[in-house]
Amino acid sequence: LAKTTQPISMDSYEGQEVNITCSHNNIATNDYITWYQQFPSQGPRFIIQGYKTKVTNEVASLFIPADRKSSTLSLPRVSLSDTAVYYCLVGERGGGADGLTFGKGTHLIIQP
Amino acid sequence: GAVVSQHPSRVICKSGTSVKIECRSLDFQATTMFWYRQFPKKSLMLMATSNEGSKATYEQGVEKDKFLINHASLTLSTLTVTSAHPEDSSFYICSARGPFLAGNEQFFGPGTRLTVL
């Protein structure tokens, strides 16, 4: 499984756009990039998944450069409720036959 | 769709007792379920993979005799922490994956907080 590196923590303010970058230099050809969000004492929630270029859904966008060695999760106009830990995972779509390997994640703190 | 529930949401027990945690996929059939453990301010750690009708596969360092997993149906997996001790206190989270879910994604339950006194 490709190892991922992301900032331990980030701060921002309500209404701002937040970009969290994840490095995954050893990503394999059939690997996807998936982001999860976790609030305290809750299970992770799937946010977005992509393979290349750009993916957008109702909550976020995911930007993946051509070399796929990194990816950026973009959260538009964050609110206080976006304070959470965000995990970047790289691997076969859905984790393949195996469970998911979570890194340390990025603790995002949104201030008023 | 793709909702996963866990029961109980929290449990407090005395040292030496056994605790059973249920994980259910409510609106899909889960051929595979996973169990994770998360200590305070730490990331999720995969404990075991549970396939319906077969024995669970445990990660290195996880005692299979202590953490009994039963995946008796396509919608239910149970984790039993046997003879629990204070060091087993943790947040236990299951995830489920069905064969026909879009993207073959895993969907997580809300977690169970276990406190062993």
Coordinates of all heavy atoms in Angstrom, one line a residue, chain A residues 4-100:
Chain A
T4 N 1.1 7.6 2.7 CA 0.6 9.0 2.4 C 1.2 9.9 3.5 O 1.4 9.5 4.6 CB -0.9 9.0 2.5 OG1 -1.4 8.6 3.8 CG2 -1.5 8.2 1.4
T5 N 1.4 11.1 3.1 CA 1.9 12.1 4.1 C 1.0 13.3 3.9 O 0.8 13.9 2.8 CB 3.3 12.5 3.7 OG1 4.2 11.3 3.8 CG2 3.9 13.5 4.7
Q6 N 0.5 13.8 5.0 CA -0.4 15.0 5.0 C -0.1 15.8 6.3 O 0.5 15.2 7.3 CB -1.8 14.6 4.9 CG -2.3 13.5 5.9 CD -3.8 13.1 5.7 OE1 -4.1 12.0 5.5 NE2 -4.7 14.1 5.7
P7 N -0.4 17.1 6.3 CA -0.1 17.9 7.5 C -0.8 17.4 8.7 O -2.0 16.9 8.6 CB -0.5 19.3 7.1 CG -1.4 19.1 5.9 CD -1.0 17.9 5.2
I8 N -0.2 17.5 9.8 CA -0.8 17.0 11.1 C -2.1 17.8 11.4 O -3.1 17.3 11.9 CB 0.2 17.0 12.2 CG1 1.3 16.0 12.0 CG2 -0.5 16.7 13.5 CD1 0.8 14.6 11.9
S9 N -1.9 19.2 11.2 CA -3.0 20.0 11.6 C -3.1 21.3 10.7 O -2.0 21.6 10.1 CB -2.9 20.5 13.0 OG -1.8 21.3 13.2
M10 N -4.3 21.9 10.6 CA -4.4 23.1 9.8 C -5.5 23.9 10.5 O -6.4 23.4 11.1 CB -4.9 22.8 8.4 CG -3.9 22.2 7.5 SD -4.5 21.9 5.8 CE -4.7 23.6 5.3
D11 N -5.4 25.3 10.4 CA -6.4 26.2 10.9 C -6.9 27.0 9.8 O -6.2 27.4 8.9 CB -5.8 27.1 12.0 CG -5.3 26.3 13.2 OD1 -6.1 25.5 13.7 OD2 -4.2 26.5 13.6
S12 N -8.2 27.4 9.9 CA -8.7 28.3 8.9 C -9.9 29.0 9.6 O -10.2 28.7 10.8 CB -9.1 27.6 7.6 OG -9.5 28.5 6.7
Y13 N -10.6 29.8 8.8 CA -11.7 30.6 9.3 C -13.0 30.3 8.5 O -12.9 29.9 7.3 CB -11.4 32.1 9.3 CG -10.3 32.4 10.3 CD1 -9.0 32.4 9.8 CD2 -10.6 32.8 11.6 CE1 -8.0 32.8 10.7 CE2 -9.6 33.1 12.5 CZ -8.3 33.1 12.0 OH -7.2 33.4 12.9
E14 N -14.1 30.5 9.1 CA -15.4 30.3 8.5 C -15.4 31.1 7.2 O -15.0 32.2 7.1 CB -16.5 30.8 9.4 CG -16.9 29.8 10.4 CD -18.2 30.2 11.1 OE1 -18.2 31.2 11.8 OE2 -19.2 29.5 11.0
G15 N -16.0 30.5 6.1 CA -16.2 31.1 4.9 C -15.0 31.0 3.9 O -15.1 31.3 2.7
Q16 N -13.9 30.6 4.4 CA -12.7 30.4 3.6 C -12.7 29.1 2.9 O -13.4 28.1 3.2 CB -11.4 30.5 4.5 CG -11.2 31.8 5.2 CD -11.0 32.9 4.3 OE1 -10.1 32.9 3.4 NE2 -11.8 34.0 4.4
E17 N -11.9 29.0 1.8 CA -11.6 27.8 1.1 C -10.4 27.1 1.7 O -9.4 27.8 2.0 CB -11.4 28.0 -0.4 CG -11.0 26.7 -1.1 CD -10.7 27.0 -2.6 OE1 -9.5 27.4 -2.9 OE2 -11.6 26.9 -3.5
V18 N -10.5 25.8 2.0 CA -9.4 25.1 2.6 C -8.9 24.0 1.7 O -9.7 23.3 1.1 CB -9.9 24.5 4.0 CG1 -8.8 23.5 4.5 CG2 -10.2 25.5 5.0
N19 N -7.6 24.0 1.5 CA -7.0 23.0 0.7 C -6.1 22.1 1.5 O -5.1 22.7 2.1 CB -6.2 23.6 -0.5 CG -7.2 24.4 -1.4 OD1 -8.1 23.9 -1.9 ND2 -6.8 25.7 -1.6
I20 N -6.3 20.9 1.5 CA -5.4 19.9 2.3 C -4.7 19.0 1.3 O -5.4 18.4 0.5 CB -6.2 19.0 3.2 CG1 -7.1 19.9 4.2 CG2 -5.3 18.2 4.1 CD1 -8.0 19.1 5.1
T21 N -3.4 19.1 1.3 CA -2.6 18.3 0.3 C -2.1 17.0 0.9 O -1.7 17.0 2.1 CB -1.4 19.2 -0.2 OG1 -2.0 20.3 -0.9 CG2 -0.6 18.4 -1.2
C22 N -2.1 16.0 0.1 CA -1.6 14.7 0.6 C -0.5 14.2 -0.5 O -0.7 14.3 -1.7 CB -2.7 13.7 0.6 SG -2.3 12.0 1.1
S23 N 0.6 13.8 0.1 CA 1.7 13.2 -0.8 C 1.6 11.7 -0.8 O 1.5 11.1 0.2 CB 3.0 13.7 -0.3 OG 3.1 15.1 -0.4
H24 N 1.7 11.2 -2.0 CA 1.7 9.7 -2.1 C 2.6 9.3 -3.3 O 2.2 9.0 -4.4 CB 0.3 9.1 -2.3 CG -0.7 10.1 -2.9 ND1 -0.7 10.3 -4.3 CD2 -1.6 10.8 -2.4 CE1 -1.7 11.1 -4.6 NE2 -2.2 11.5 -3.4
N25 N 3.9 9.4 -3.0 CA 4.9 9.3 -4.1 C 4.9 7.9 -4.7 O 5.4 7.7 -5.8 CB 6.3 9.6 -3.6 CG 6.4 11.1 -3.2 OD1 6.0 11.9 -4.0 ND2 7.0 11.4 -2.1
N26 N 4.5 6.9 -3.9 CA 4.6 5.5 -4.4 C 3.3 4.9 -4.9 O 3.1 3.7 -4.9 CB 5.2 4.6 -3.3 CG 6.6 5.0 -2.9 OD1 7.4 5.4 -3.8 ND2 6.9 4.9 -1.6
I27 N 2.4 5.8 -5.3 CA 1.1 5.3 -5.7 C 1.2 4.4 -6.9 O 2.0 4.6 -7.8 CB 0.2 6.6 -6.1 CG1 -1.2 6.1 -6.3 CG2 0.8 7.3 -7.3 CD1 -2.2 7.3 -6.4
A28 N 0.5 3.3 -6.9 CA 0.5 2.3 -8.0 C -0.5 2.7 -9.1 O -1.4 3.4 -8.9 CB 0.2 0.9 -7.4
T29 N -0.3 2.0 -10.2 CA -1.1 2.3 -11.4 C -2.6 2.1 -11.1 O -3.5 2.9 -11.6 CB -0.7 1.4 -12.6 OG1 0.7 1.6 -12.8 CG2 -1.5 1.7 -13.8
N30 N -3.0 1.1 -10.3 CA -4.4 0.8 -10.1 C -4.9 1.4 -8.8 O -6.0 1.0 -8.4 CB -4.7 -0.7 -10.2 CG -3.9 -1.4 -9.1 OD1 -2.9 -0.9 -8.6 ND2 -4.2 -2.7 -8.9
D31 N -4.2 2.3 -8.2 CA -4.6 2.9 -6.9 C -5.5 4.0 -7.2 O -5.3 4.8 -8.1 CB -3.4 3.3 -6.1 CG -2.7 2.2 -5.4 OD1 -3.2 1.1 -5.3 OD2 -1.5 2.4 -5.0
Y32 N -6.5 4.2 -6.3 CA -7.3 5.3 -6.2 C -7.0 6.2 -5.0 O -6.3 5.7 -4.1 CB -8.8 4.9 -6.2 CG -9.4 4.5 -7.5 CD1 -9.1 3.3 -8.0 CD2 -10.3 5.3 -8.2 CE1 -9.6 2.9 -9.2 CE2 -10.8 4.9 -9.4 CZ -10.5 3.7 -9.9 OH -11.0 3.3 -11.1
I33 N -7.4 7.4 -5.0 CA -7.2 8.3 -3.9 C -8.5 8.6 -3.2 O -9.5 9.0 -3.9 CB -6.5 9.6 -4.3 CG1 -5.2 9.3 -5.0 CG2 -6.3 10.5 -3.1 CD1 -4.7 10.3 -6.0
T34 N -8.6 8.3 -1.9 CA -9.9 8.5 -1.3 C -9.7 9.3 0.0 O -8.7 9.2 0.7 CB -10.5 7.1 -0.9 OG1 -10.5 6.3 -2.0 CG2 -11.9 7.3 -0.3
W35 N -10.6 10.2 0.3 CA -10.6 11.0 1.5 C -11.8 10.7 2.3 O -12.9 10.6 1.9 CB -10.6 12.5 1.1 CG -9.3 13.0 0.5 CD1 -8.9 12.9 -0.8 CD2 -8.3 13.7 1.2 NE1 -7.6 13.4 -0.9 CE2 -7.3 14.0 0.3 CE3 -8.2 14.2 2.5 CZ2 -6.1 14.7 0.7 CZ3 -7.0 14.9 2.9 CH2 -6.0 15.1 1.9
Y36 N -11.5 10.6 3.6 CA -12.5 10.4 4.6 C -12.5 11.5 5.7 O -11.4 12.1 5.9 CB -12.3 9.1 5.4 CG -12.7 7.9 4.6 CD1 -11.9 7.3 3.7 CD2 -14.0 7.3 4.8 CE1 -12.2 6.1 3.0 CE2 -14.4 6.1 4.1 CZ -13.5 5.6 3.2 OH -13.8 4.5 2.5
Q37 N -13.6 11.8 6.3 CA -13.8 12.8 7.3 C -14.2 12.1 8.6 O -15.1 11.2 8.5 CB -14.8 13.8 6.9 CG -15.2 14.9 8.0 CD -16.4 15.6 7.6 OE1 -17.5 15.0 7.4 NE2 -16.3 17.0 7.5
Q38 N -13.6 12.4 9.7 CA -14.0 11.8 11.0 C -14.2 12.9 12.1 O -13.3 13.6 12.4 CB -13.0 10.8 11.5 CG -13.5 10.0 12.7 CD -12.5 9.0 13.2 OE1 -11.3 9.1 13.1 NE2 -13.1 8.0 13.9
F39 N -15.4 12.9 12.7 CA -15.7 13.7 13.8 C -15.4 12.9 15.1 O -15.4 11.7 15.0 CB -17.1 14.2 13.8 CG -17.5 15.0 12.7 CD1 -18.4 14.6 11.7 CD2 -17.0 16.3 12.5 CE1 -18.7 15.4 10.6 CE2 -17.3 17.1 11.4 CZ -18.2 16.6 10.5
P40 N -15.1 13.6 16.2 CA -14.8 12.8 17.4 C -15.9 11.8 17.8 O -17.1 12.1 17.7 CB -14.7 14.0 18.5 CG -14.3 15.2 17.7 CD -15.0 15.0 16.4
S41 N -15.5 10.6 18.2 CA -16.4 9.6 18.6 C -17.4 9.2 17.5 O -18.6 8.8 17.8 CB -17.1 10.0 19.9 OG -16.2 10.1 20.9
Q42 N -17.0 9.3 16.3 CA -17.9 8.8 15.2 C -17.0 8.1 14.2 O -15.8 8.2 14.2 CB -18.5 10.0 14.4 CG -19.5 10.8 15.3 CD -20.3 11.8 14.4 OE1 -20.5 11.7 13.2 NE2 -20.7 12.9 15.1
G43 N -17.7 7.2 13.4 CA -16.9 6.5 12.4 C -16.6 7.4 11.2 O -17.2 8.5 11.0
P44 N -15.6 7.1 10.4 CA -15.2 7.9 9.3 C -16.3 8.0 8.2 O -17.1 7.1 8.1 CB -14.0 7.2 8.7 CG -13.4 6.4 9.8 CD -14.6 6.0 10.6
R45 N -16.4 9.1 7.6 CA -17.4 9.3 6.5 C -16.7 9.6 5.2 O -15.8 10.4 5.1 CB -18.3 10.5 6.9 CG -19.4 10.8 5.9 CD -20.3 11.9 6.3 NE -19.7 13.2 6.2 CZ -20.0 14.1 5.2 NH1 -20.9 13.8 4.3 NH2 -19.4 15.3 5.2
F46 N -17.1 8.8 4.2 CA -16.5 9.0 2.8 C -16.8 10.4 2.3 O -17.9 10.9 2.4 CB -17.1 7.9 1.9 CG -16.7 8.1 0.5 CD1 -15.6 7.5 -0.1 CD2 -17.6 8.8 -0.4 CE1 -15.3 7.7 -1.4 CE2 -17.3 8.9 -1.8 CZ -16.1 8.4 -2.2
I47 N -15.8 11.1 1.8 CA -16.0 12.4 1.2 C -15.9 12.4 -0.3 O -16.8 12.8 -1.0 CB -14.9 13.4 1.7 CG1 -14.9 13.6 3.2 CG2 -15.1 14.8 1.1 CD1 -13.8 14.5 3.7
I48 N -14.8 11.9 -0.8 CA -14.6 11.9 -2.2 C -13.5 10.9 -2.6 O -12.7 10.6 -1.8 CB -14.2 13.4 -2.7 CG1 -14.4 13.6 -4.2 CG2 -12.8 13.7 -2.2 CD1 -14.4 15.1 -4.6
Q49 N -13.6 10.5 -3.9 CA -12.6 9.6 -4.4 C -12.2 10.0 -5.8 O -13.1 10.4 -6.6 CB -13.1 8.2 -4.4 CG -12.1 7.1 -4.9 CD -12.7 5.7 -4.9 OE1 -13.5 5.4 -5.7 NE2 -12.3 4.9 -4.0
G50 N -11.0 9.8 -6.2 CA -10.6 10.1 -7.6 C -9.4 9.3 -8.1 O -8.7 8.7 -7.2
Y51 N -9.2 9.3 -9.4 CA -8.1 8.6 -9.9 C -7.1 9.6 -10.6 O -5.9 9.4 -10.4 CB -8.5 7.6 -11.0 CG -7.4 6.7 -11.5 CD1 -6.9 5.6 -10.8 CD2 -6.8 7.1 -12.8 CE1 -5.9 4.9 -11.4 CE2 -5.8 6.3 -13.3 CZ -5.3 5.2 -12.6 OH -4.3 4.5 -13.1
K52 N -7.7 10.5 -11.3 CA -6.8 11.5 -12.0 C -7.6 12.8 -12.2 O -8.9 12.8 -12.1 CB -6.2 11.0 -13.2 CG -7.2 10.6 -14.3 CD -6.5 10.1 -15.6 CE -7.6 9.8 -16.6 NZ -6.9 9.3 -17.9
T53 N -6.9 13.8 -12.6 CA -7.5 15.2 -12.9 C -8.3 15.7 -11.7 O -7.8 15.9 -10.6 CB -8.3 15.2 -14.2 OG1 -9.4 14.3 -14.1 CG2 -7.4 14.7 -15.3
K54 N -9.6 16.0 -12.0 CA -10.4 16.7 -11.0 C -11.7 15.9 -10.8 O -12.3 15.5 -11.8 CB -10.6 18.1 -11.4 CG -11.6 18.9 -10.4 CD -11.8 20.3 -11.0 CE -12.8 21.0 -10.1 NZ -13.1 22.4 -10.6
V55 N -12.1 15.8 -9.5 CA -13.4 15.3 -9.2 C -14.1 16.2 -8.3 O -13.5 16.8 -7.4 CB -13.3 13.9 -8.5 CG1 -14.6 13.3 -8.2 CG2 -12.5 12.9 -9.4
T56 N -15.4 16.4 -8.5 CA -16.1 17.4 -7.7 C -17.5 16.7 -7.3 O -18.1 16.1 -8.1 CB -16.4 18.7 -8.4 OG1 -15.2 19.3 -8.7 CG2 -17.2 19.6 -7.5
N57 N -17.8 16.9 -6.0 CA -19.2 16.5 -5.6 C -19.8 17.6 -4.8 O -19.3 18.7 -4.8 CB -19.2 15.1 -4.8 CG -18.3 15.2 -3.6 OD1 -18.1 16.2 -3.0 ND2 -17.9 14.0 -3.2
E58 N -20.8 17.3 -4.1 CA -21.6 18.4 -3.4 C -20.8 18.9 -2.2 O -21.2 20.0 -1.7 CB -23.0 17.9 -3.0 CG -23.0 16.7 -2.0 CD -22.8 15.4 -2.7 OE1 -22.5 15.3 -3.9 OE2 -23.0 14.4 -2.0
V59 N -19.8 18.2 -1.7 CA -19.1 18.7 -0.5 C -17.7 19.1 -0.7 O -17.1 19.9 0.0 CB -19.2 17.7 0.6 CG1 -20.6 17.4 1.0 CG2 -18.5 16.4 0.2
A60 N -17.0 18.6 -1.8 CA -15.6 18.9 -1.9 C -15.2 18.7 -3.4 O -15.9 18.2 -4.2 CB -14.8 18.0 -1.0
S61 N -14.0 19.1 -3.6 CA -13.3 18.8 -4.9 C -12.0 18.2 -4.6 O -11.4 18.4 -3.6 CB -13.1 20.1 -5.7 OG -14.3 20.7 -6.1
L62 N -11.6 17.3 -5.5 CA -10.3 16.6 -5.4 C -9.5 16.9 -6.7 O -9.9 16.6 -7.8 CB -10.5 15.1 -5.2 CG -9.3 14.2 -5.1 CD1 -8.5 14.6 -3.9 CD2 -9.7 12.8 -5.0
F63 N -8.3 17.4 -6.5 CA -7.4 17.8 -7.6 C -6.2 16.8 -7.6 O -5.5 16.6 -6.5 CB -6.9 19.2 -7.5 CG -8.0 20.2 -7.5 CD1 -8.6 20.7 -6.4 CD2 -8.4 20.7 -8.7 CE1 -9.6 21.6 -6.4 CE2 -9.5 21.7 -8.8 CZ -10.0 22.1 -7.6
I64 N -6.0 16.2 -8.7 CA -4.9 15.2 -8.8 C -4.1 15.5 -10.0 O -4.6 15.5 -11.1 CB -5.5 13.8 -8.9 CG1 -6.4 13.4 -7.8 CG2 -4.4 12.7 -9.0 CD1 -7.3 12.2 -8.0
P65 N -2.8 15.9 -9.8 CA -1.9 16.2 -11.0 C -1.7 15.0 -11.8 O -1.9 13.9 -11.4 CB -0.7 16.8 -10.3 CG -0.6 16.1 -9.0 CD -2.1 15.9 -8.6
A66 N -1.1 15.3 -13.0 CA -0.8 14.2 -13.9 C 0.0 13.1 -13.4 O -0.2 11.9 -13.7 CB -0.2 14.8 -15.2
D67 N 1.0 13.4 -12.6 CA 1.9 12.3 -12.0 C 1.3 11.6 -10.9 O 1.9 10.6 -10.4 CB 3.3 12.9 -11.6 CG 3.2 13.9 -10.5 OD1 2.1 14.0 -9.9 OD2 4.2 14.5 -10.1
R68 N 0.2 12.1 -10.4 CA -0.6 11.4 -9.3 C 0.2 11.2 -8.0 O -0.2 10.4 -7.2 CB -1.2 10.1 -9.8 CG -2.0 10.2 -11.0 CD -3.0 9.0 -11.3 NE -2.5 7.7 -10.9 CZ -3.2 6.9 -10.0 NH1 -4.3 7.3 -9.5 NH2 -2.7 5.7 -9.7
K69 N 1.3 11.9 -7.9 CA 2.1 11.7 -6.6 C 1.6 12.5 -5.5 O 2.1 12.5 -4.4 CB 3.6 12.0 -6.9 CG 4.2 11.0 -7.9 CD 5.7 11.3 -8.1 CE 6.3 10.4 -9.1 NZ 6.3 9.0 -8.6
S70 N 0.6 13.3 -5.7 CA 0.0 14.1 -4.7 C -1.5 14.3 -5.0 O -1.9 14.1 -6.2 CB 0.7 15.4 -4.5 OG 0.5 16.2 -5.6
S71 N -2.2 14.8 -4.1 CA -3.6 15.2 -4.3 C -4.0 16.3 -3.3 O -3.4 16.4 -2.3 CB -4.6 14.0 -4.2 OG -4.5 13.4 -2.9
T72 N -5.0 17.1 -3.7 CA -5.4 18.2 -2.8 C -6.9 18.1 -2.7 O -7.7 18.1 -3.7 CB -5.1 19.5 -3.4 OG1 -3.6 19.6 -3.5 CG2 -5.5 20.6 -2.5
L73 N -7.4 18.0 -1.4 CA -8.8 18.1 -1.1 C -9.1 19.5 -0.9 O -8.5 20.2 -0.1 CB -9.1 17.3 0.2 CG -10.5 17.4 0.7 CD1 -11.4 16.6 -0.2 CD2 -10.5 16.9 2.2
S74 N -10.1 20.0 -1.6 CA -10.5 21.4 -1.5 C -11.9 21.4 -0.9 O -12.9 20.9 -1.4 CB -10.5 22.1 -2.8 OG -10.9 23.4 -2.7
L75 N -12.1 22.2 0.2 CA -13.4 22.4 0.9 C -13.8 23.8 0.7 O -13.1 24.7 1.2 CB -13.3 22.0 2.4 CG -12.8 20.6 2.7 CD1 -12.5 20.5 4.2 CD2 -13.7 19.6 2.3
P76 N -14.8 24.1 -0.1 CA -15.2 25.5 -0.3 C -16.0 26.1 0.8 O -16.8 25.4 1.5 CB -16.1 25.4 -1.6 CG -16.7 24.0 -1.4 CD -15.7 23.1 -0.8
R77 N -15.7 27.3 1.2 CA -16.4 28.0 2.2 C -16.7 27.2 3.4 O -17.9 26.8 3.7 CB -17.7 28.5 1.6 CG -17.5 29.6 0.5 CD -18.9 30.1 0.0 NE -19.7 29.1 -0.6 CZ -19.6 28.6 -1.8 NH1 -18.6 29.1 -2.6 NH2 -20.4 27.7 -2.2
V78 N -15.7 26.9 4.2 CA -15.9 26.0 5.3 C -16.7 26.7 6.4 O -16.7 27.9 6.5 CB -14.5 25.6 5.9 CG1 -13.8 24.7 4.9 CG2 -13.6 26.8 6.3
S79 N -17.2 25.9 7.3 CA -18.0 26.4 8.5 C -17.4 25.7 9.7 O -16.6 24.8 9.6 CB -19.5 26.0 8.3 OG -19.7 24.6 8.3
L80 N -17.9 26.1 10.8 CA -17.4 25.5 12.1 C -17.6 24.0 12.1 O -16.7 23.3 12.7 CB -18.1 26.1 13.3 CG -17.8 27.6 13.5 CD1 -18.7 28.1 14.7 CD2 -16.4 27.9 13.8
S81 N -18.6 23.5 11.5 CA -18.9 22.1 11.5 C -18.0 21.3 10.6 O -18.0 20.0 10.6 CB -20.3 21.9 11.0 OG -20.5 22.3 9.7
D82 N -17.1 21.9 9.9 CA -16.1 21.2 9.1 C -14.9 20.9 10.0 O -13.9 20.2 9.5 CB -15.7 22.0 7.9 CG -16.8 22.1 6.9 OD1 -17.5 21.1 6.6 OD2 -17.0 23.3 6.4
T83 N -14.8 21.3 11.2 CA -13.7 20.9 12.1 C -13.8 19.4 12.3 O -14.8 18.9 12.8 CB -13.9 21.7 13.5 OG1 -13.7 23.0 13.3 CG2 -12.8 21.1 14.4
A84 N -12.7 18.7 11.9 CA -12.7 17.3 11.9 C -11.3 16.8 11.6 O -10.4 17.6 11.2 CB -13.7 16.7 11.0
V85 N -11.1 15.5 11.6 CA -9.9 14.9 11.1 C -10.1 14.4 9.7 O -11.1 13.7 9.4 CB -9.4 13.8 12.0 CG1 -8.1 13.2 11.4 CG2 -9.1 14.3 13.4
Y86 N -9.3 14.7 8.7 CA -9.4 14.3 7.4 C -8.3 13.4 7.0 O -7.1 13.7 7.2 CB -9.4 15.5 6.4 CG -10.6 16.4 6.6 CD1 -10.6 17.3 7.7 CD2 -11.7 16.3 5.8 CE1 -11.8 18.1 7.9 CE2 -12.8 17.1 6.0 CZ -12.9 18.0 7.0 OH -14.0 18.7 7.2
Y87 N -8.7 12.2 6.5 CA -7.7 11.2 6.1 C -7.6 11.0 4.6 O -8.7 10.9 3.9 CB -8.1 9.8 6.7 CG -8.1 9.7 8.2 CD1 -9.3 9.9 9.0 CD2 -6.9 9.5 8.9 CE1 -9.3 9.8 10.4 CE2 -6.9 9.4 10.3 CZ -8.1 9.6 11.0 OH -8.1 9.5 12.4
C88 N -6.4 10.9 4.1 CA -6.1 10.6 2.7 C -5.7 9.2 2.6 O -4.7 8.8 3.3 CB -5.0 11.6 2.2 SG -4.3 11.1 0.7
L89 N -6.3 8.4 1.8 CA -6.0 7.0 1.7 C -5.7 6.7 0.2 O -6.4 7.2 -0.7 CB -7.1 6.1 2.2 CG -7.2 5.9 3.7 CD1 -7.9 7.1 4.3 CD2 -8.0 4.6 4.0
V90 N -4.8 5.8 0.0 CA -4.4 5.4 -1.4 C -4.4 3.9 -1.5 O -3.8 3.2 -0.6 CB -3.0 6.0 -1.8 CG1 -2.6 5.4 -3.1 CG2 -3.1 7.5 -1.8
G91 N -5.1 3.4 -2.5 CA -5.2 1.9 -2.6 C -6.2 1.5 -3.7 O -6.8 2.4 -4.3
E92 N -6.4 0.3 -3.8 CA -7.4 -0.2 -4.7 C -8.7 0.3 -4.3 O -9.0 0.6 -3.2 CB -7.4 -1.8 -4.7 CG -6.2 -2.5 -5.3 CD -6.4 -4.0 -5.3 OE1 -7.5 -4.4 -5.7 OE2 -5.5 -4.7 -4.9
R93 N -9.5 0.5 -5.3 CA -10.8 1.1 -5.1 C -11.6 0.3 -4.1 O -11.8 -0.9 -4.2 CB -11.6 1.1 -6.4 CG -12.7 2.1 -6.5 CD -13.3 2.2 -7.9 NE -14.2 3.4 -8.0 CZ -14.9 3.7 -9.1 NH1 -14.8 2.9 -10.1 NH2 -15.7 4.7 -9.1
G94 N -12.0 1.0 -3.0 CA -12.7 0.3 -1.9 C -11.8 -0.5 -1.0 O -12.3 -1.1 -0.1
G95 N -10.5 -0.4 -1.2 CA -9.6 -1.1 -0.4 C -9.3 -2.5 -0.9 O -8.6 -3.3 -0.3
G96 N -9.9 -2.9 -2.0 CA -9.6 -4.2 -2.6 C -10.2 -5.3 -1.6 O -11.2 -5.1 -1.0
A97 N -9.4 -6.3 -1.5 CA -9.9 -7.4 -0.6 C -9.5 -7.1 0.9 O -9.9 -7.8 1.8 CB -9.2 -8.7 -1.0
D98 N -8.7 -6.1 1.1 CA -8.2 -5.8 2.4 C -8.9 -4.6 3.0 O -9.6 -3.8 2.4 CB -6.7 -5.5 2.3 CG -5.9 -6.6 1.7 OD1 -6.3 -7.8 1.9 OD2 -5.0 -6.3 0.9
G99 N -8.7 -4.5 4.3 CA -9.2 -3.3 5.0 C -8.3 -2.1 4.6 O -7.3 -2.1 3.9
L100 N -8.8 -0.9 5.1 CA -8.1 0.3 4.8 C -7.0 0.6 5.8 O -7.1 0.3 7.0 CB -9.1 1.5 4.8 CG -10.3 1.3 3.7 CD1 -11.3 2.4 3.9 CD2 -9.7 1.4 2.3

